[in-house]
């Protein structure tokens, strides 16, 4: 039986983000993907979007699929959710590989990130990104997802869940990856979390920015395979 591998997307992402790597990884792993609440055409919950709700969704998914403990590759916010799940329900997660996961959340950081999540701003400055959002989430669903995501960031800014103190509870293998040209996630904040992990490792990807579609797919697949065989 092939090992189970969950590919978990980030904020404003969807399962389609992994199309190009999932088909390759399926040769060696049983690959699982699902859309987080409010993403990929799923209904936006009445309750505010929060990391805690997404964490519960991941835990419930693993248990419903009867695949725990499972390995998780989490991109951006997906990595944050996976690490929180490992703290909350350690029986569900066997190992975690992250890419571009932001750990340094403060009110100022949240406000800075939130300023770009405005529909009119995006239409003017990033029309290609708007087209992607409409494709992933639906022509009428992507706009309401923006303020919901802002609320999630603001909540993290007020009370970050993952800190150098809380991640000490994670004793499974964890590898943190960050791009050397990622303008959202710094090498320094990633290093701070890495140093607090019991069984952690860290990789800095050269010439790599934050958007997953700009990551070298061959390098990413190699890193996932390398980590899965540890």
């Amino acid at each position: 039986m092939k090992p189970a591998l969950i590919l978990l997307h980030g904020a404003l992402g969807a399962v389609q983000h992994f199309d190009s790597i999932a088909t390759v990884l399926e040769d060696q792993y049983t690959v699982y993907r699902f859309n987080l609440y409010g993403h990929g055409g799923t209904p936006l919950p009445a309750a505010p979007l929060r990391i805690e709700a997404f964490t519960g969704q991941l835990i419930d998914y693993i248990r419903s699929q009867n695949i725990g403990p499972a390995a998780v590759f989490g991109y951006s916010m997906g990595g944050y959710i996976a690490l929180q799940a490992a703290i909350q329900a350690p029986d569900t997660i066997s190992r975690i590989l992250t890419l571009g996961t932001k750990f340094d959340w403060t009110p100022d950081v949240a406000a800075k990130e939130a300023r770009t999540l405005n529909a009119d701003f995006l239409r003017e400055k990033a029309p290609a990104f708007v087209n992607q959002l409409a494709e992933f989430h639906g022509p009428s669903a992507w706009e309401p997802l923006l303020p919901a995501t802002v609320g999630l960031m603001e909540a993290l800014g007020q009370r970050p869940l993952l800190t150098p103190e809380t991640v000490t509870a994670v004793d499974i293998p964890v590898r943190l990856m960050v791009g050397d040209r990622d303008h959202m996630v710094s090498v320094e904040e990633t290093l701070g979390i890495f140093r607090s992990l019991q069984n952690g490792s860290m990789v800095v990807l050269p010439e790599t920015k934050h958007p997953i579609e700009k990551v070298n797919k061959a390098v990413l697949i190699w890193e996932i395979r390398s980590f899965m065989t540890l």
Side-chain angles (χ1 to χ4, degrees):
M1 182 179 295
K2 298 178 183 178
L5 173 62
I6 298 173
L7 307 179
L8 193 60
H9 69 79
L12 302 178
V15 295
Q16 296 98 308
H17 260 155
F18 301 118
D19 284 350
S20 62
I21 67 170
T23 52
V24 178
L25 293 170
E26 283 168 353
D27 288 343
Q28 293 175 271
Y29 314 107
T30 302
V31 176
Y32 295 85
R33 294 183 279 173
F34 66 93
N35 286 307
L36 296 167
Y37 296 134
H39 293 71
T42 63
L44 194 64
L49 291 187
R50 293 293 183 267
I51 291 293
E52 294 90 337
F54 289 146
T55 301
Q57 185 182 6
L58 173 59
I59 293 169
D60 290 345
Y61 180 84
I62 292 171
R63 289 175 173 163
S64 69
Q65 297 293 320
N66 196 28
I67 55 174
V72 181
F73 166 63
Y75 166 66
S76 196
M77 185 183 71
Y80 205 99
I81 295 164
L83 284 165
Q84 183 61 23
I87 294 172
Q88 187 172 322
D91 62 299
T92 61
I93 311 288
S94 62
R95 59 182 55 222
I96 299 169
L97 177 64
T98 74
L99 171 61
T101 294
K102 184 157 193 65
F103 299 105
D104 181 21
W105 286 103
T106 67
D108 287 344
V109 168
K112 178 183 177 182
E113 297 298 332
R115 280 195 291 271
T116 63
L117 296 187
N118 174 279
D120 292 334
F121 173 86
L122 291 175
R123 286 192 184 94
E124 179 182 352
K125 300 294 185 181
F129 183 49
V130 168
N131 290 338
Q132 184 187 76
L133 292 176
E135 177 186 350
F136 282 2
H137 312 296
S140 62
W142 70 271
E143 281 196 60
L145 185 56
L146 296 179
T149 302
V150 168
L152 181 150
M153 291 179 170
E154 290 173 343
L156 274 179
Q158 293 294 331
R159 190 175 73 90
L161 300 177
L162 299 179
T163 65
E165 293 73 32
T166 62
V167 299
T168 58
V170 181
D171 62 358
I172 58 174
V174 175
R175 178 166 294 171
L176 309 178
M177 295 194 297
V178 61
D180 62 351
R181 299 183 184 181
D182 192 324
H183 295 300
M184 180 178 178
V185 182
S186 69
V187 172
E188 290 74 20
E189 70 187 89
T190 309
L191 186 61
I193 294 297
F194 155 69
R195 285 173 170 161
S196 294
L197 291 167
Q198 294 187 47
N199 191 5
S201 56
M202 179 174 163
V203 174
V204 179
L205 299 179
E207 301 181 24
T208 301
K209 298 179 180 180
H210 186 77
I212 193 168
E213 56 267 25
K214 295 184 180 295
V215 177
N216 185 308
K217 296 300 186 295
V219 171
L220 180 55
I221 290 167
W222 187 92
E223 290 290 350
I224 292 173
R225 285 173 169 165
S226 171
F227 182 67
M228 288 290 288
T229 55
L230 286 177

